[in-house]
Amino acid sequence: QVQLVESGGGLVQAGGSLRLSCAASGRIVSINVMGWNRQVPGKQRELVATITSGGSTNYADSVKGRFTISRDNAKNTVYLQMNSLKPEDTAVYYCNGENVLYYSRDGYSRRGDYWGQGTQVTVSS
């Protein structure tokens, strides 16, 4: 009843930039925290960045100064601007929404955590 859909992934050379977007849909009232995580095959998913509804941000040390997370609360959309990309940034990037308040089909308000399906980012050296 709540869906998150990422877009903007692709192939880029080292030093280049990409902008990821993630739009949440459904009868959403609010989303407390939105974030980006990434995963390389054979490794655990790792946090990249988070942003609260009030705009407070948090970044992994590996991306500080290169990535910027932002959101549009009116559109329930979160963005990740990635600059100075490195080959080690190659991964599947997933967005997530924490403590999403929404109305279900039966008309009741509910809360839940949701993930997108992921978008591939490949950085060539």
Side-chain angles (χ1 to χ4, degrees):
Q1 302 190 40
V2 172
Q3 282 192 317
L4 276 68
V5 178
E6 301 99 337
S7 60
L11 173 65
V12 65
Q13 287 189 330
S17 298
L18 280 176
R19 188 188 192 217
L20 305 183
S21 300
C22 173
S25 62
R27 297 173 67 189
I28 296 170
V29 176
S30 63
I31 304 175
N32 186 17
V33 179
M34 300 188 80
W36 290 94
N37 296 260
R38 64 189 182 187
Q39 188 169 23
V40 175
K43 293 189 177 181
Q44 283 191 328
R45 191 172 296 188
E46 65 172 357
L47 175 72
V48 175
T50 62
I51 183 168
T52 68
S53 57
S56 296
T57 58
N58 180 51
Y59 295 93
D61 288 343
S62 58
V63 306
K64 281 180 182 176
R66 300 187 298 121
F67 292 9
T68 302
I69 189 171
S70 60
R71 65 187 282 179
D72 184 332
N73 290 331
K75 296 181 179 179
N76 292 319
T77 299
V78 63
Y79 307 95
L80 186 68
Q81 178 65 44
M82 304 185 294
N83 299 329
S84 302
L85 282 160
K86 304 175 181 179
E88 50 264 44
D89 294 318
T90 296
V92 178
Y93 283 71
Y94 298 90
C95 74
N96 72 299
E98 296 178 21
N99 197 17
V100 179
L101 176 63
Y102 66 99
Y103 285 100
S104 61
R105 293 191 190 95
D106 56 10
Y108 289 95
S109 63
R110 300 185 187 279
R111 292 185 183 271
D113 298 336
Y114 294 88
W115 288 83
Q117 81 288 350
T119 186
Q120 177 70 46
V121 172
T122 303
V123 184
S124 63
S125 56

